[in-house]
Amino acid sequence: MTITESRTTVERKRDVLARLERESDIWVASADADGLPCLVALWFVWDGESVWLSTRITNPTGRNLRDGGRTRLAFGDTQDVVLIDGEVRTYAGTDVPAAAIEAFRAKTGWDPREDSASYAFFQVRPRTVQALNGVHEMRGRHVMEDGVWVV
């Protein structure tokens, strides 16, 4: 099925928020200080303001998120694109807010702190969000700019 009618910005924002609630995995892009890219899929939780991720601080993604302080997140379907550029704050397992841990456990059934002390949590505050279903939706794809929803 080909979609030819563009969604409004309100519809796009609604669809992005629904995916943030519904999806369990999100692609996480990061890079090291030399620009070497890294792309992995991680479980995540949306708390209404931020995306919360967890991975080992000792792996490339954990180091890149901690050291670089930014990331690009994406949902997997190339026909329904959501790109989120955000600023990252890193929390050791002992420092992460209890609400984030409980939300993560409720959604995924997993508390990374129980597996290893090397797991950290990463709070991603969106700065830019783009949403599009094909080339015909390139115009108006930004539903958040400078950390503010455009609608």
Side-chain angles (χ1 to χ4, degrees), residues 16-149:
V16 167
L17 292 173
R19 286 191 83 174
L20 285 165
E21 292 295 330
R22 177 181 74 243
E23 302 281 344
S24 57
D25 301 310
I26 198 163
W27 287 103
V28 180
S30 62
D32 68 14
D34 294 326
L36 182 66
C38 184
L39 179 67
V40 299
L42 295 176
W43 283 346
F44 77 97
V45 172
W46 170 250
D47 70 5
E49 295 181 7
S50 299
V51 173
W52 288 87
L53 312 163
S54 184
T55 192
R56 288 184 175 96
I57 198 72
T58 55
N59 69 26
T61 298
R63 287 190 308 269
N64 294 347
L65 292 174
R66 178 197 63 205
D67 298 345
R70 61 189 181 146
T71 186
R72 172 168 276 183
L73 307 175
F75 290 112
D77 185 349
T78 59
Q79 296 305 307
D80 188 10
V81 177
V82 175
L83 298 174
I84 301 169
D85 293 313
E87 298 170 346
V88 178
R89 182 172 177 189
T90 304
Y91 291 86
T94 55
D95 298 330
V96 65
I101 297 259
E102 289 311 311
F104 203 85
R105 185 190 327 248
K107 184 173 182 181
T108 67
W110 178 56
D111 183 343
R113 301 169 308 160
E114 294 172 359
D115 279 354
S116 169
S118 68
Y119 275 94
F121 284 81
F122 303 89
Q123 178 187 27
V124 180
R125 289 201 172 269
R127 299 295 304 152
T128 303
V129 177
Q130 300 176 60
L132 63 149
N133 272 332
V135 174
H136 67 281
E137 283 198 356
M138 289 294 285
R139 182 183 303 266
R141 69 185 176 273
H142 287 90
V143 295
M144 177 184 280
E145 294 179 359
D146 296 322
V148 178
W149 294 104

